[in-house]
Structure formats: structure tokens, C-alpha cells
Amino acid sequence: MVPELEKASVRMKSPERVRRVIAALRRDGADKLQVISDFDMTLSRFGFNGRRCPTSHNILDNSRLISEEGRKKLKDLLHYYYPIEIDPNRTVEEKRPLMIEWWTRAHNLLLQQKILKSDIAEIVRESEVMLRDRATMFFDKLYHHHIPLFIFSAGLGDILEEVLRQAKVLHSNITVVSNYMDFDDKGVLRQFKEPLIHTYNKNNTVLENMEHCQRLSGRPNILLLGDSLGDLSMADGVANVENVLTIGFLNDRVDERRGKYLDAYDIVLEKDETLDVVIGILCYVLRET
Ligand code: TMP
Ligand code: MG
């Protein structure tokens, strides 16, 4: 069906279930499909040439807009909280308050920095952010088939939209829900808009009354892409779901986390910096092969 599923990076607990869901997605076609995806380390690359690529927060944190002292404090937060975020031995309940603490502390530091809206395009251009290989094909294919792409991100919405804009893939089929900045009339960052989205509240609690949920209710088939176990709740707000195929990028601490990822995601992609498998599935579902 999908030759890309033979790649060495692919792991599946139940290939039979994967086959069944992909067959259902193909049977129902493009009109019934929507894609829900995380951004950081899912659509963007985790690493390149042995170096880590930045998250949307890191693009800002590492930029010239942040003072040396601010940068150090943000880095300290990252080194303290990121291992907690991905710790396979802690429950989500334990992690949730700590993630709120991380996001709140990081956003408060950013608020002290006099960040200008007009600087965002340039710091994105100067950053080392990269989308996964074949991202352009992924975005263009969804756009050309009128398949809605809902990007649900605990990163920074203003930054990730600019990454997509510069890659020329911010098409009109995309809806983003993320942490957006609020600028004053001089264009200076003054606060972050509510609600705060962190890794472990990506669900309907932050999506209430969002018009996109209604717009998408006629599309009962979902392809869900994520890299965190918190990403699996991103489709919870969608009504009348029929078939969901989940694909998880396992980027870091692979051996320790493999078991949990295999239990949670239909398809696990280990250290795979490409969108090959996603595109392979889309081609099959869209009858392009
Ligand atoms: P997401 O990929 O689940 O949307 O989450 C965004 C990522 O951003 C998450 O993996 C943690 C990361 N992050 C930073 O890199 N720096 C920060 O200051 C914060 C708050 C989060
Ligand atoms: Mg992510």
C-alpha cells in the first residue's frame, strides 16, 4: 500500500490496524479528511548535521532581541524543564503544573525584553530553524486537495506563522491555535494572549467555542501528527470522529521512550527528519499512486 512504511525508521505495534485505518481513509477520500499537527519538532526539524534545531520559543530566545542575561535565564529554564517534559518516568499529572510553571516563567522573561513585532521576520530569517525534509510537498499537497490543516502548538504562534510564511507554505487551508503575542500601539510586546497553551493541555479545554471545530465537523477522518505524548489529545475537540491515524516522531531518548510511544501512536518514526511516511500515506489516500 505505502512503500514508505518499509523505512527503517518506522515502528508499529499493530501493522494490521494501520492497514485498516489507511484503507478507510482512502475509501472515504480527501473530502472526509483533515490533518491535525503539532509544529515544533513535528513539522520542524529536531536536528540537522548533529545540531539541535530551534523550537519557535528558541528562535526568539537565541535572537539578538534578548539581552545576554535574559538569554541565560531562558536557557536555564530549558535545561531544567525540558528533561521533565520528556521524562518517561513521570505522569502527565505530575508534569502539567511544572509545564505551566515553565511557560509562565519563560513568557514573563520575554515580556521584560521590549520585543518589537517588526523584528520577528528578521529573527526568523536569521535563525537555524528548518522544516522537515519534503515539508513543502506536504503543505502544497494538502492545499491543492483542499484538506484543512489544523496546527495546534504550544510554541509561539507569531513565530511559527512567520516560519511558514518564509517557506511559502502558509496556505489558506491552515488554521493555527498557539500562544500569540499581544503588541501595544507602538508594536512592543506587552503580553501573551490567553489561554496559555503548553505541552499537556492541547485539548478541547483551550479550544472551546472555536469556530474551526464546527468547520471541521464534516471531516470525520483525522491524520494526527505529533512528537510528544501530549499531542495525542489534539483531536479531542472534534465531533463525529470516525477514523484516526496517529503518527508520532520519536526524536529524543528513543530507547527509553519507545515502549510508551508504540502503545500510544499507531506509527512511530524514530529519528526520522523527513515527512516521507506522511506523504506516502497521503499519496495512497489521495489515489496518487
Ligand atoms: P509543542 O511542540 O508541543 O507545541 O511544544 C512546544 C515546545 O516548545 C515544547 O517541546 C517545549 C518547547 N519550549 C521551548 O523550547 N522553550 C520555552 O521557553 C518553552 C516554554 C517551551
Ligand atoms: Mg512538538
Side-chain angles (χ1 to χ4, degrees), residues 12-65:
M12 293 177 273
K13 187 168 157 186
S14 170
E16 180 46 45
R17 183 190 135 76
V18 169
R19 256 192 297 278
R20 207 170 54 240
V21 179
I22 292 177
L25 300 184
R26 178 172 159 108
R27 184 196 63 217
D28 295 347
D31 295 349
K32 298 287 179 204
L33 182 66
Q34 58 173 303
V35 179
I36 300 180
S37 182
D38 169 49
F39 180 77
D40 290 304
M41 312 293 115
T42 295
L43 295 177
S44 68
R45 280 183 77 116
F46 180 76
F48 182 67
N49 279 346
R51 273 166 68 93
R52 285 289 292 275
C53 291
T55 61
S56 51
H57 277 96
N58 301 155
I59 290 174
L60 188 54
D61 299 354
N62 301 337
S63 77
R64 59 178 170 79
L65 304 185

Side-chain angles (χ1 to χ4, degrees), residues 38-42 85 199 202 226-228 231 251:
D38 169 49
F39 180 77
D40 290 304
M41 312 293 115
T42 295
E85 182 194 352
T199 332
K202 290 184 164 188
D227 77 294
S228 154
D231 293 328
N251 300 310

